[in-house]
């Protein structure tokens, strides 16, 4: 027997969410326990930046992960969703530096040690913001295992990996052209550079031959870098210049002698086929310089100003230098022409400053040896991408991989574990801080000032968080992890590097499946950005509509391989679905007051409707599980929405009412209806729980069920004995007849309260028998006063006909409408619509209107035409009904 307290009339998301999340935490349901009798299932969260706050991309990815985790937990697996945050080197340092700037202090004023103390203080104060926001989203992470990429364990793993790679010859230090951000004052790896198509200029500059008025014309997009030229190059196959190779040219402006060399890299078709070679400021020129043993002349300071190698341009900003050099070249008559030129320009991914190719001493990882196993692992399907098309992007990058520049010239991060002996220049690479030089015993040691790229520690995330390099129980049980869910934009940054590191250090892939989720866009398909003003804050949406409504919306829009188009209208629509579940559950609970949950189910009397809803429920269990196993969250959400709203609420609950309210039926009639309502609601709530955990917990707690929490309840299992296609076909026939009658009544504006008479003309004996046997379903749900099933009858006078399943349904209208009046009304409506349509067609066929009117006005007119065409069809259908 249930308590008298059922459900409040209105669902209050805020109160419910706070109550149940606190309950789950108190009960320790999120905490994973190693149980050798259970299969493990593990996801490591893509660690959000410690500086971050929840955006829609986070919300989507974490909702999808939570759906998977909650389902696997209900399936009985030992389930670990391991949370944590990333120290986000450059981003975090920038935040704290801005904070200091407001106080009139720089990090240099504080010094390295004090500055790092300040960053840790900031992290302790603000670093948990996004974690608390994830909790509001309902994320069921094992918070007792929460990690940070600079915590003690992760730091130990980072040092271990660095030292091992160094000892294996896979980490080295060398001068190389790197991507340099003049604002962040640090190196960037190739994939941290975002390229943007930019309209620039191509300057054609004359380089005079020594002691001659003859010249070669060099085309360049960056005339300021000629200050660092140490050669001019042509293709050895270019007949125009073969005879000139080896001659000496005079470098414009600086008047230095420069050799003309031949190199296969030069494209004869670009510009004039003659290129300037600046080994210190172009990666391709750097390679040419190595082949020809050219000097490497750096002309920039770290903040992209010209240094002492730039002669009289020393101290100028790079763009001011460009302007003056062009002016000086024009004075000397050395500019032949200037063409407009579209080219790809690299920008810092963090601050959008144009990066400089910059010759610098940096630390690198040799990637090709590491990439080979990672390529093979995906080829052999040890790790599977979903959708599979993302494998191509992975292979393209891995097969063309370049060495990874891992050093960064900032203070916040993992300081590179390398020390230099000040007395004998010995280089010491160690997992522990050395006390003295192993070579000369000197204690005068200086640690490398650079820190590691943030992505270095992130690459170790799947195994460092489980305790590596120690052989922990967590590592042995949960590695390799089961799933990684992430965006396509970090396949290079993160996924590929985790694959390489996991295989190299643990001997196995870090995850069995990689689910690549879509991008979130606005309702019109535009990328969300502050500049467009179309950013939607998930926390605001949670406050307005509730967490479950947002979660269900995101799941319903997560179509594999397609971007998510989000609008508030969609979220509002799914809030209505949450309310529908609430109201239907409230109705069920109100009718279970005298339900005996220990009833002998063998004595129950199942009707066609009972068998049908149980069959549809078990079909839904099968299909939802299939969808979730394939990460087709959208289809799973659609199936659950359709079953709950349409089949359970709109059909079964309505069909059950006569047995719940009737005093004439046997007691088993009511008890059967109660049992089915309880069973179906309980099962459906469990299917829905991973998607909408809060409202399902609140309702489930009121049901006569066993267990402390729905999240620890068993995931529904299909019962093949209850799947009955014959029953479903019979019910489908009845539903279509009822729907046909309802639709016709609606189109003719017959009030639902008015009872109608219906005669059915069914030629097949089986069809007639079904409709006769279950005529009470049709009478109750179509609101009929009379329902006859006949064979071979003529259409009665003053009736309309609806055809469903090859049978004719005649609705007798003599007592319901005046045929002549209704026909006149519809004719008038048709005339009005046709008149409006004609005016719009005239507009849209006017070439001048189409050409001159704003596009949104033209689009609006087209939409108006579509609406009117739909109206016209509706009225014409109504006219056909009464003819």
């Amino acid at each position: 027997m249930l308590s008298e307290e059922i459900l409040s009339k209105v669902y209050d998301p805020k109160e419910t969410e706070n109550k149940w999340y606190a309950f789950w935490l108190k009960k320790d349901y999120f905490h994973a326990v190693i149980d050798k009798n259970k299969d493990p299932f593990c996801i490591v969260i893509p660690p959000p930046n410690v500086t971050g706050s929840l955006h829609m991309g986070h919300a989507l990815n974490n909702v999808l992960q939570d759906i998977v985790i909650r389902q696997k937990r209900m399936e009985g697996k030992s389930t670990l969703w391991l949370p944590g945050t990333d120290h986000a080197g450059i981003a975090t340092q920038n935040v704290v530096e801005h904070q200091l700037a407001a106080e009139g202090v720089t990090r240099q004023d504080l010094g390295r040690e004090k500055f790092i103390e300040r960053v840790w203080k900031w992290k302790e104060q603000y670093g948990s913001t996004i974690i608390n926001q994830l909790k509001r989203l309902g994320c069921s992470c094992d918070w007792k295992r929460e990690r940070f990429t600079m915590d003690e364990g992760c730091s130990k793993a980072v040092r271990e990996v660095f030292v091992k790679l160094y000892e294996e010859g896979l980490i080295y230090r060398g001068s190389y052209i790197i991507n340099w951000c003049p604002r962040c004052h640090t190196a960037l790896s190739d994939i941290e550079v975002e390229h943007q198509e930019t309209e620039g200029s191509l300057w054609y500059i004359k380089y005079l031959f020594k002691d001659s008025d003859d010249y070669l014309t060099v085309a360049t997009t960056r005339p300021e870098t000629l200050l660092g030229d140490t050669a001019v190059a042509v293709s050895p196959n270019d007949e125009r210049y073969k005879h000139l190779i080896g001659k000496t040219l005079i470098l414009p402006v600086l008047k230095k002698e420069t050799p003309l060399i031949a190199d296969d890299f030069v494209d004869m078709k670009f510009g004039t086929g003659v290129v300037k070679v600046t080994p210190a400021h172009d990666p391709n020129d750097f390679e040419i310089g190595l082949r020809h043993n050219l000097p490497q002349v750096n002309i920039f300071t770290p903040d992209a100003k010209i240094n002492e190698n730039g002669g009289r341009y020393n101290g100028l900003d790079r763009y001011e230098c460009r302007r003056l050099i062009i002016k000086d070249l024009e004075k000397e008559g050395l500019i032949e022409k200037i063409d407009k030129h579209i080219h790809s320009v690299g920008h810092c991914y963090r601050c959008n400053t144009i990066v400089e190719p910059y010759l610098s001493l940096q630390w690198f990882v040799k990637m090709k040896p590491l990439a080979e196993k990672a390529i093979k692992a995906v080829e052999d399907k040890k790790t599977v991408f979903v959708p599979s098309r993302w494998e191509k992007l992975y292979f393209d990058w891995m097969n063309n991989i370049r060495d990874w520049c891992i050093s960064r010239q900032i203070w916040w991060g993992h300081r590179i574990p390398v020390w230099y002996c000040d007395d004998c220049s010995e280089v010491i690479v160690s997992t522990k801080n050395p006390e003295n030089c192993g070579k000369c015993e000197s204690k005068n040691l200086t640690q490398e000032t650079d820190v590691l790229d943030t992505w270095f520690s992130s690459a170790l995330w799947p195994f460092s968080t489980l305790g590596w390099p120690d052989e922990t129980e967590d590592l042995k049980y949960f590695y390799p992890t089961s799933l990684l869910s992430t965006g396509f934009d970090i396949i290079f940054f993160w996924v590929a590097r985790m694959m390489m590191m996991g295989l190299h250090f643990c001997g196995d892939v870090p995850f069995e499946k990689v689910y690549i989720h879509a991008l979130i866009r606005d309702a019109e398909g535009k990328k969300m950005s502050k500049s467009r003003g179309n950013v939607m804050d998930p926390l605001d949406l949670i406050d307005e509509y509730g967490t479950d409504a947002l979660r269900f919306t995101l799941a319903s829009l997560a179509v594999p391989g397609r971007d998510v188009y989000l609008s508030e209208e969609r979220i509002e629509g799914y809030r209505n679905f949450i309310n529908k579940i609430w109201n239907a559950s409230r109705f069920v609970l109100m009718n279970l007051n005298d339900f005996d949950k220990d009833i002998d189910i063998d004595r129950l009397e199942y009707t066609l409707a009972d068998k049908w809803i149980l069959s549809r429920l078990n079909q839904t269990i099968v299909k939802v599980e299939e969808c979730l196993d394939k990460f087709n969250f959208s289809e799973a959400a659609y199936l659950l929405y359709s079953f709950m709203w349409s089949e359970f609420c709109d059909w079964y609950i309505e069909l059950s009412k006569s047995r719940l309210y009737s005093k004439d039926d046997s007691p088993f009639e009511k008890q059967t209806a109660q049992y089915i309502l309880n069973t179906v609601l309980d099962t459906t709530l469990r299917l829905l729980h991973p998607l909408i955990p809060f409202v399902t917990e609140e309702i489930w707690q009121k049901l006569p069920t066993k267990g402390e929490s729905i999240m620890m309840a068993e995931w529904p299992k299909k019962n093949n004995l209850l799947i009955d296609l014959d029953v479903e076909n019979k019910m489908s026939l009845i539903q279509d007849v009822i729907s046909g009658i309802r639709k016709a009544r609606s189109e003719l504006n017959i009030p639902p309260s008015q009872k109608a008479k219906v005669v059915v003309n069914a030629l097949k004996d089986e069809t007639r028998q079904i409709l006769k046997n279950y005529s009470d379903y049709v009478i109750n749900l179509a609101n009929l006063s009379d329902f006859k099933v006949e064979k071979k009858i003529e259409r009665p006078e003053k009736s309309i006909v609806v055809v469903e399943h090859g049978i004719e349904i005649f609705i007798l209208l003599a007592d319901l409408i005046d045929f002549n009046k209704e026909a006149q009304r519809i004719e008038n409506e048709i005339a009005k619509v046709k008149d409006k349509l004609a005016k719009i067609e005239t507009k849209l066929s006017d070439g001048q209107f189409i050409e001159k009117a704003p596009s949104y006005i033209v689009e609006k007119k087209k939409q108006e035409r579509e609406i009117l065409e739909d109206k016209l069809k509706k009225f014409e259908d109504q006219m056909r009904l009464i003819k």
Side-chain angles (χ1 to χ4, degrees), residues 626-656:
E626 284 175 359
C627 289
L628 291 178
D629 285 347
K630 294 175 182 175
F631 309 109
N632 191 343
F633 301 99
S634 173
E635 184 64 18
Y638 170 76
L639 289 165
L640 289 167
Y641 180 95
S642 299
F643 177 79
M644 187 70 192
W645 190 302
S646 176
E647 294 176 322
F648 184 57
C649 296
D650 290 354
W651 288 102
Y652 184 75
I653 286 180
E654 293 304 314
L655 286 167
S656 71

Short mmCIF file of all heavy atoms in Angstrom, two decimals, residues 626-656:
data_model
loop_
_atom_site.label_atom_id
_atom_site.label_comp_id
_atom_site.label_asym_id
_atom_site.label_seq_id
_atom_site.Cartn_x
_atom_site.Cartn_y
_atom_site.Cartn_z
N GLU A 626 20.09 -1.04 -28.06
CA GLU A 626 20.87 -1.06 -29.31
C GLU A 626 21.40 0.33 -29.64
O GLU A 626 22.56 0.50 -30.02
CB GLU A 626 20.00 -1.56 -30.48
CG GLU A 626 19.78 -3.07 -30.48
CD GLU A 626 18.81 -3.49 -31.58
OE1 GLU A 626 18.31 -2.61 -32.33
OE2 GLU A 626 18.54 -4.71 -31.70
N CYS A 627 20.54 1.33 -29.49
CA CYS A 627 20.94 2.71 -29.80
C CYS A 627 22.03 3.20 -28.86
O CYS A 627 23.01 3.82 -29.30
CB CYS A 627 19.73 3.64 -29.71
SG CYS A 627 18.55 3.40 -31.04
N LEU A 628 21.88 2.95 -27.57
CA LEU A 628 22.88 3.41 -26.62
C LEU A 628 24.21 2.69 -26.83
O LEU A 628 25.28 3.30 -26.69
CB LEU A 628 22.39 3.21 -25.18
CG LEU A 628 21.23 4.11 -24.75
CD1 LEU A 628 20.80 3.80 -23.33
CD2 LEU A 628 21.58 5.60 -24.88
N ASP A 629 24.16 1.41 -27.20
CA ASP A 629 25.40 0.68 -27.48
C ASP A 629 26.13 1.26 -28.69
O ASP A 629 27.36 1.17 -28.77
CB ASP A 629 25.10 -0.81 -27.74
CG ASP A 629 24.79 -1.56 -26.45
OD1 ASP A 629 25.03 -1.00 -25.36
OD2 ASP A 629 24.27 -2.69 -26.53
N LYS A 630 25.38 1.88 -29.61
CA LYS A 630 25.99 2.49 -30.80
C LYS A 630 26.19 4.00 -30.64
O LYS A 630 26.53 4.70 -31.59
CB LYS A 630 25.10 2.23 -32.03
CG LYS A 630 25.01 0.76 -32.41
CD LYS A 630 24.02 0.58 -33.55
CE LYS A 630 23.88 -0.90 -33.92
NZ LYS A 630 22.83 -1.12 -34.94
N PHE A 631 25.93 4.50 -29.41
CA PHE A 631 26.04 5.93 -29.10
C PHE A 631 25.10 6.77 -29.96
O PHE A 631 25.37 7.93 -30.24
CB PHE A 631 27.49 6.43 -29.24
CG PHE A 631 28.48 5.58 -28.51
CD1 PHE A 631 29.36 4.76 -29.19
CD2 PHE A 631 28.49 5.55 -27.13
CE1 PHE A 631 30.25 3.95 -28.51
CE2 PHE A 631 29.38 4.74 -26.43
CZ PHE A 631 30.27 3.93 -27.13
N ASN A 632 23.97 6.16 -30.35
CA ASN A 632 22.95 6.89 -31.09
C ASN A 632 21.96 7.45 -30.07
O ASN A 632 20.84 6.96 -29.91
CB ASN A 632 22.26 5.98 -32.10
CG ASN A 632 21.38 6.76 -33.06
OD1 ASN A 632 21.04 7.92 -32.81
ND2 ASN A 632 21.02 6.15 -34.16
N PHE A 633 22.41 8.49 -29.36
CA PHE A 633 21.62 9.04 -28.26
C PHE A 633 20.32 9.66 -28.76
O PHE A 633 19.29 9.59 -28.08
CB PHE A 633 22.44 10.10 -27.52
CG PHE A 633 23.73 9.57 -26.96
CD1 PHE A 633 24.94 9.77 -27.62
CD2 PHE A 633 23.75 8.84 -25.78
CE1 PHE A 633 26.13 9.28 -27.11
CE2 PHE A 633 24.93 8.34 -25.26
CZ PHE A 633 26.12 8.56 -25.93
N SER A 634 20.37 10.25 -29.93
CA SER A 634 19.19 10.91 -30.50
C SER A 634 18.06 9.91 -30.72
O SER A 634 16.90 10.15 -30.35
CB SER A 634 19.57 11.58 -31.83
OG SER A 634 18.43 12.07 -32.47
N GLU A 635 18.37 8.77 -31.32
CA GLU A 635 17.35 7.77 -31.60
C GLU A 635 16.82 7.16 -30.30
O GLU A 635 15.62 6.89 -30.17
CB GLU A 635 17.93 6.68 -32.51
CG GLU A 635 16.93 5.62 -32.96
CD GLU A 635 15.80 6.16 -33.83
OE1 GLU A 635 15.93 7.28 -34.38
OE2 GLU A 635 14.76 5.46 -33.94
N ALA A 636 17.72 6.94 -29.33
CA ALA A 636 17.28 6.42 -28.03
C ALA A 636 16.29 7.38 -27.38
O ALA A 636 15.26 6.96 -26.83
CB ALA A 636 18.49 6.20 -27.12
N ALA A 637 16.61 8.68 -27.43
CA ALA A 637 15.71 9.69 -26.85
C ALA A 637 14.38 9.70 -27.58
O ALA A 637 13.31 9.79 -26.95
CB ALA A 637 16.37 11.07 -26.91
N TYR A 638 14.42 9.60 -28.91
CA TYR A 638 13.19 9.60 -29.70
C TYR A 638 12.30 8.40 -29.34
O TYR A 638 11.08 8.53 -29.18
CB TYR A 638 13.53 9.59 -31.19
CG TYR A 638 12.33 9.34 -32.08
CD1 TYR A 638 11.40 10.35 -32.32
CD2 TYR A 638 12.10 8.08 -32.64
CE1 TYR A 638 10.28 10.12 -33.10
CE2 TYR A 638 10.99 7.85 -33.44
CZ TYR A 638 10.08 8.86 -33.66
OH TYR A 638 8.97 8.63 -34.42
N LEU A 639 12.91 7.22 -29.23
CA LEU A 639 12.16 6.01 -28.90
C LEU A 639 11.48 6.14 -27.53
O LEU A 639 10.31 5.79 -27.37
CB LEU A 639 13.10 4.80 -28.88
CG LEU A 639 13.61 4.33 -30.25
CD1 LEU A 639 14.80 3.38 -30.05
CD2 LEU A 639 12.51 3.64 -31.04
N LEU A 640 12.22 6.67 -26.56
CA LEU A 640 11.66 6.82 -25.21
C LEU A 640 10.57 7.89 -25.18
O LEU A 640 9.55 7.72 -24.50
CB LEU A 640 12.78 7.16 -24.23
CG LEU A 640 13.74 5.99 -23.94
CD1 LEU A 640 14.98 6.49 -23.23
CD2 LEU A 640 13.04 4.92 -23.12
N TYR A 641 10.79 8.97 -25.90
CA TYR A 641 9.80 10.04 -25.99
C TYR A 641 8.50 9.51 -26.59
O TYR A 641 7.41 9.72 -26.06
CB TYR A 641 10.36 11.18 -26.84
CG TYR A 641 9.45 12.37 -27.02
CD1 TYR A 641 9.56 13.48 -26.18
CD2 TYR A 641 8.50 12.42 -28.03
CE1 TYR A 641 8.75 14.59 -26.35
CE2 TYR A 641 7.67 13.51 -28.20
CZ TYR A 641 7.80 14.60 -27.36
OH TYR A 641 6.99 15.69 -27.53
N SER A 642 8.63 8.80 -27.71
CA SER A 642 7.45 8.27 -28.42
C SER A 642 6.71 7.26 -27.55
O SER A 642 5.48 7.28 -27.48
CB SER A 642 7.87 7.61 -29.73
OG SER A 642 8.49 8.54 -30.57
N PHE A 643 7.47 6.36 -26.91
CA PHE A 643 6.80 5.34 -26.10
C PHE A 643 6.08 5.98 -24.92
O PHE A 643 4.91 5.69 -24.65
CB PHE A 643 7.81 4.31 -25.59
CG PHE A 643 7.18 3.28 -24.69
CD1 PHE A 643 6.46 2.23 -25.22
CD2 PHE A 643 7.26 3.41 -23.31
CE1 PHE A 643 5.82 1.30 -24.40
CE2 PHE A 643 6.64 2.49 -22.48
CZ PHE A 643 5.92 1.44 -23.03
N MET A 644 6.78 6.88 -24.21
CA MET A 644 6.20 7.46 -23.00
C MET A 644 5.01 8.36 -23.32
O MET A 644 3.94 8.24 -22.71
CB MET A 644 7.28 8.26 -22.26
CG MET A 644 6.84 8.78 -20.90
SD MET A 644 6.64 7.43 -19.73
CE MET A 644 5.80 8.24 -18.38
N TRP A 645 5.22 9.26 -24.26
CA TRP A 645 4.17 10.25 -24.54
C TRP A 645 3.00 9.62 -25.29
O TRP A 645 1.85 9.75 -24.88
CB TRP A 645 4.76 11.41 -25.35
CG TRP A 645 3.84 12.59 -25.49
CD1 TRP A 645 2.58 12.59 -26.02
CD2 TRP A 645 4.08 13.93 -25.05
NE1 TRP A 645 2.03 13.85 -25.96
CE2 TRP A 645 2.92 14.69 -25.37
CE3 TRP A 645 5.15 14.57 -24.45
CZ2 TRP A 645 2.83 16.06 -25.09
CZ3 TRP A 645 5.05 15.93 -24.18
CH2 TRP A 645 3.90 16.67 -24.49
N SER A 646 3.31 8.95 -26.37
CA SER A 646 2.24 8.46 -27.24
C SER A 646 1.66 7.14 -26.75
O SER A 646 0.48 7.04 -26.41
CB SER A 646 2.77 8.31 -28.67
OG SER A 646 1.78 7.76 -29.50
N GLU A 647 2.49 6.10 -26.69
CA GLU A 647 1.95 4.77 -26.44
C GLU A 647 1.47 4.60 -25.00
O GLU A 647 0.39 4.06 -24.76
CB GLU A 647 3.00 3.72 -26.81
CG GLU A 647 3.28 3.72 -28.30
CD GLU A 647 4.38 2.77 -28.73
OE1 GLU A 647 5.37 2.63 -28.00
OE2 GLU A 647 4.23 2.19 -29.83
N PHE A 648 2.27 5.06 -24.04
CA PHE A 648 1.87 4.86 -22.65
C PHE A 648 0.83 5.90 -22.20
O PHE A 648 -0.25 5.55 -21.72
CB PHE A 648 3.09 4.92 -21.73
CG PHE A 648 2.78 4.63 -20.28
CD1 PHE A 648 2.18 3.44 -19.91
CD2 PHE A 648 3.09 5.56 -19.28
CE1 PHE A 648 1.89 3.16 -18.57
CE2 PHE A 648 2.81 5.29 -17.95
CZ PHE A 648 2.21 4.09 -17.59
N CYS A 649 1.15 7.19 -22.38
CA CYS A 649 0.25 8.25 -21.88
C CYS A 649 -1.02 8.37 -22.72
O CYS A 649 -2.13 8.33 -22.19
CB CYS A 649 0.98 9.59 -21.84
SG CYS A 649 2.36 9.63 -20.69
N ASP A 650 -0.84 8.55 -24.03
CA ASP A 650 -2.00 8.86 -24.88
C ASP A 650 -2.87 7.65 -25.17
O ASP A 650 -4.07 7.79 -25.43
CB ASP A 650 -1.53 9.47 -26.20
CG ASP A 650 -0.96 10.87 -26.02
OD1 ASP A 650 -1.05 11.39 -24.90
OD2 ASP A 650 -0.42 11.43 -26.99
N TRP A 651 -2.29 6.46 -25.14
CA TRP A 651 -3.09 5.26 -25.46
C TRP A 651 -3.35 4.38 -24.25
O TRP A 651 -4.50 4.19 -23.85
CB TRP A 651 -2.41 4.45 -26.57
CG TRP A 651 -2.49 5.13 -27.91
CD1 TRP A 651 -1.52 5.83 -28.55
CD2 TRP A 651 -3.64 5.20 -28.75
NE1 TRP A 651 -1.98 6.34 -29.73
CE2 TRP A 651 -3.29 5.96 -29.89
CE3 TRP A 651 -4.95 4.70 -28.67
CZ2 TRP A 651 -4.17 6.23 -30.93
CZ3 TRP A 651 -5.84 4.96 -29.69
CH2 TRP A 651 -5.45 5.72 -30.82
N TYR A 652 -2.29 3.86 -23.63
CA TYR A 652 -2.57 2.86 -22.61
C TYR A 652 -3.27 3.45 -21.37
O TYR A 652 -4.23 2.86 -20.86
CB TYR A 652 -1.29 2.13 -22.16
CG TYR A 652 -1.65 1.04 -21.18
CD1 TYR A 652 -2.23 -0.14 -21.62
CD2 TYR A 652 -1.49 1.22 -19.81
CE1 TYR A 652 -2.64 -1.13 -20.73
CE2 TYR A 652 -1.90 0.25 -18.90
CZ TYR A 652 -2.47 -0.92 -19.38
OH TYR A 652 -2.90 -1.89 -18.50
N ILE A 653 -2.77 4.59 -20.90
CA ILE A 653 -3.42 5.18 -19.72
C ILE A 653 -4.89 5.46 -20.00
O ILE A 653 -5.77 5.18 -19.17
CB ILE A 653 -2.68 6.46 -19.26
CG1 ILE A 653 -1.36 6.08 -18.58
CG2 ILE A 653 -3.53 7.28 -18.30
CD1 ILE A 653 -0.54 7.25 -18.08
N GLU A 654 -5.18 5.99 -21.19
CA GLU A 654 -6.58 6.27 -21.54
C GLU A 654 -7.40 4.99 -21.59
O GLU A 654 -8.54 4.96 -21.12
CB GLU A 654 -6.64 7.00 -22.89
CG GLU A 654 -6.05 8.40 -22.89
CD GLU A 654 -6.71 9.30 -21.85
OE1 GLU A 654 -7.96 9.30 -21.77
OE2 GLU A 654 -5.98 9.98 -21.10
N LEU A 655 -6.82 3.92 -22.13
CA LEU A 655 -7.54 2.66 -22.22
C LEU A 655 -7.72 2.00 -20.85
O LEU A 655 -8.64 1.19 -20.65
CB LEU A 655 -6.80 1.69 -23.16
CG LEU A 655 -6.90 2.02 -24.65
CD1 LEU A 655 -5.87 1.21 -25.45
CD2 LEU A 655 -8.31 1.75 -25.18
N SER A 656 -6.85 2.33 -19.90
CA SER A 656 -6.93 1.70 -18.57
C SER A 656 -7.98 2.34 -17.68
O SER A 656 -8.39 1.76 -16.69
CB SER A 656 -5.56 1.78 -17.88
OG SER A 656 -5.28 3.12 -17.51
#
